[in-house]
Amino acid sequence: MAVGADGRKSTVRERAQLDVLDLGAPIDVLWFRLSKRDSDPEQYFGFVGVRQFLVLIDRGDYWQCAYVIEKGTFPEKRERGLAAFRAEILRCTPIFEDRVVELYGWDDIKLLTVKVDRLRTWARDGLLCSGDSAHAMAPIGGVGINLAIQVAVAAARLLAEKLRADDFTTHDLLAVQRRRELPTKLTQRLQVFLHEHFLQPISDSKEPVEPPWPMRLLEKFPTLRRIPARMIGLGFRREHLKP
């Protein structure tokens, strides 16, 4: 048996000719890091500007930055030059005025081509696809790794004994999909909803826009952040290994 776990550009699923349902994603993301200062606030969620959105993740001594761009526009940004890109970041996040010079070259900026898709059928004779190979997730919430681990746990629980006995069928492999397909669909629907109702309005804006009311609510009442944290961190269906 083979497991296809080779990511969103999976060669395995392509060679197996498995049908992919593409849900669409209007954005790409640029990842880079900027150093953190003692004077920085303890926590940022991100910054919203005119057609700009930058998420900040606290990594202790630096900020991991996820800059949302319109899909396919990275080559244009490279063509305009690094100085223009630094100025673009500062229009969104002026607090980094003394730090954008840490972006020394384009090698410091990594492009994530965003996909939201899933296989209609996750398995065929002797093959099971897992993780992004079975269902590519957008970077919203960083849930891709969560779902991949949950699929692996479900597969271990459902298939371990059958694989050990070398006595399994494609129907057995598809039990993993039957177990994990609903939480995958729910998570992807949430991501598509956020793309359409949050990120796209920012991308289309011609003047500064206020963050949507749920984000403002989370900023005002930090205790409420436990709700999306639990939903994102644990997902819609938790998996447990049996002893």
Side-chain angles (χ1 to χ4, degrees):
M1 176 190 161
V3 176
D6 52 339
R8 61 186 56 220
K9 297 180 180 179
S10 174
T11 302
V12 171
R13 76 180 188 183
E14 180 184 348
R15 295 289 179 86
Q17 298 183 332
L18 295 172
D19 191 20
V20 180
L21 175 63
D22 189 350
L23 302 179
I27 64 165
D28 290 328
V29 174
L30 300 180
W31 289 99
F32 54 90
R33 63 171 65 183
L34 296 172
S35 60
K36 190 178 176 185
R37 301 281 193 265
D38 291 339
S39 58
D40 288 344
E42 289 187 8
Q43 184 171 2
Y44 283 123
F45 177 77
F47 291 87
V48 177
V50 178
R51 306 187 71 175
Q52 292 178 291
F53 183 48
L54 178 72
V55 177
L56 300 180
I57 304 171
D58 188 352
R59 297 301 192 195
D61 59 348
Y62 70 91
W63 295 106
Q64 183 174 342
C65 305
Y67 185 55
V68 177
I69 63 173
E70 188 176 348
K71 180 166 287 296
T73 59
F74 185 48
E76 299 173 18
K77 295 183 183 299
R78 291 194 61 151
E79 189 174 341
R80 288 198 294 268
L82 191 59
F85 180 72
R86 290 172 179 160
E88 183 178 329
I89 295 299
L90 286 181
R91 286 197 297 274
C92 185
T93 52
I95 69 161
F96 289 140
E97 184 175 5
D98 60 340
R99 279 170 268 182
V100 288
V101 292
E102 296 170 2
L103 299 174
Y104 299 110
W106 291 108
D107 288 343
D108 297 320
I109 302 161
K110 307 301 180 184
L111 171 66
L112 172 64
T113 302
V114 176
K115 291 184 178 181
V116 183
D117 65 33
R118 63 177 178 268
L119 295 178
R120 296 184 189 275
T121 303
W122 298 12
R124 54 174 295 180
D125 296 347
L127 170 66
L128 172 67
C129 286
S130 178
D132 277 359
S133 178
H135 44 68
M137 313 299 292
I140 294 174
V143 295
I145 184 62
N146 297 19
L147 268 74
I149 292 173
Q150 288 165 343
V151 170
V153 172
R157 184 171 55 80
L158 294 169
L159 299 176
E161 293 302 322
K162 294 179 182 293
L163 293 177
R164 190 174 289 117
D166 195 22
D167 180 21
F168 64 91
T169 65
T170 302
H171 180 77
D172 295 324
L173 300 182
L174 288 172
V176 179
Q177 179 176 353
R178 291 192 294 272
R179 171 71 183 176
R180 295 302 311 167
E181 189 167 35
L182 179 59
T184 298
K185 286 181 176 180
L186 291 175
T187 304
Q188 289 184 328
R189 284 176 185 171
L190 176 60
Q191 292 191 325
V192 170
F193 176 86
L194 291 174
H195 283 164
E196 294 177 349
H197 296 277
F198 175 45
L199 295 178
Q200 196 63 53
I202 291 175
S203 179
D204 294 340
S205 66
K206 296 182 179 179
E207 56 185 31
V209 296
E210 277 196 334
W213 67 265
M215 186 186 295
R216 299 199 302 272
L217 201 62
L218 294 177
E219 288 288 346
K220 187 172 182 179
F221 302 103
T223 305
L224 295 179
R225 296 174 191 167
R226 296 177 183 177
I227 299 172
R230 184 175 180 84
M231 184 173 67
I232 291 170
L234 299 179
F236 289 105
R237 174 176 285 166
R238 300 173 66 179
E239 297 292 343
H240 300 278
L241 281 174
K242 294 182 179 179

